[in-house]
Amino acid sequence: CRVMAWDTEGTRRRLKEAATAEFAERGLAGTTMTRIAARAGINKERLYSYYGDKDALWVVVLTDELEGLALAVELAGVSLEDVGEFAGATFDYHVRHPQLGRLLQWEGLVRGPAADVARRSAHYREKVERFAQAQRDGVLDAGLDPAHLVFALIALAAWWQTVPQLAEMITGASGDDVSERDRRRAFVVDAARRLTAAR
């Protein structure tokens, strides 16, 4: 008698992908573990055994999405010497992962404590400090609050995907159009450079 080995990693991946899609579509409150398991085609008990309850799974999904963004920007080799390309790499990630903006919007609508708040806050504080150091080094405009600057650059890069209907109403073009997407990215890069240029 041969025993089939479970593809544990594949199962975890399918469950997390299903959870990401469900949470992005319905938010934490509107998603059920039953829907996630059904979407993944996997037994609900296995979902609970791998990830615990829905709140724990929400934290895993959001944390993984944000870690993916940080890694993608880092791997793009972007430094604060070119903050425009930093913003461009952030734009690129949001284009490839539009669910991230939706997840963050759902998190904001809940008005409860943010997922993994201590670790995420530390990550952003480190980023703010890097911007502040670049200001002290004369690389970036020292007249801008570095925390506000980090937030503004994220918004500049991400908002196109977060509210695509608004972007289309204003520009008259769809973000699905490759040439329009290229124009948007070029704008993000140029605007970030102009905003932060040392004076």
Side-chain angles (χ1 to χ4, degrees):
C1 175
R2 229 174 85 202
V3 178
M4 274 183 63
W6 289 107
D7 178 8
T8 304
E9 284 310 306
T11 300
R12 281 182 181 276
R13 186 187 67 254
R14 286 201 319 276
L15 287 168
K16 195 171 80 55
E17 287 170 356
T20 301
E22 287 290 326
F23 284 137
E25 289 173 17
R26 293 177 175 77
L28 176 61
T31 299
T32 66
M33 295 293 263
T34 301
R35 288 186 65 92
I36 293 167
R39 188 173 194 141
I42 294 168
N43 183 295
K44 186 169 72 171
E45 283 68 34
R46 183 150 305 147
L47 176 58
Y48 279 105
S49 70
Y50 286 158
Y51 290 107
D53 65 11
K54 186 171 72 166
D55 289 340
L57 181 54
W58 165 259
V59 171
V60 167
V61 164
L62 196 50
T63 300
D64 283 0
E65 287 295 312
L66 289 166
E67 285 177 357
L69 168 62
L71 186 60
V73 173
E74 182 180 300
L75 286 179
V78 178
S79 72
L80 291 181
E81 296 297 319
D82 190 346
V83 76
E85 282 304 320
F86 170 84
T90 302
F91 175 88
D92 293 341
Y93 188 86
H94 281 275
V95 166
R96 291 189 309 273
H97 302 90
Q99 71 274 13
L100 176 55
R102 291 192 292 271
L103 291 167
L104 290 170
Q105 283 186 307
W106 281 115
E107 182 183 44
L109 289 170
V110 171
R111 293 289 198 194
D116 198 22
V117 67
R119 192 158 61 104
R120 287 167 63 193
S121 295
H123 167 78
Y124 286 118
R125 281 194 300 274
E126 185 272 332
K127 191 175 294 294
V128 168
E129 178 49 37
R130 284 183 53 218
F131 272 70
Q133 186 60 53
Q135 290 174 316
R136 290 189 291 273
D137 293 343
V139 175
L140 302 178
D141 180 6
L144 299 169
D145 180 298
H148 293 181
L149 179 56
V150 169
F151 185 87
L153 290 172
I154 292 169
L156 174 67
W159 204 239
W160 296 98
Q161 297 304 315
T162 306
V163 287
Q165 76 285 9
L166 183 60
E168 187 168 343
M169 285 185 266
I170 292 170
T171 65
S174 168
D176 294 333
D177 178 284
V178 175
S179 61
E180 171 63 14
R181 195 164 53 237
D182 289 346
R183 284 193 298 278
R184 291 176 183 185
R185 187 191 194 280
F187 173 83
V188 166
V189 170
D190 186 49
R193 286 175 178 156
R194 289 180 188 218
L195 175 65
T196 60
R199 291 175 171 81

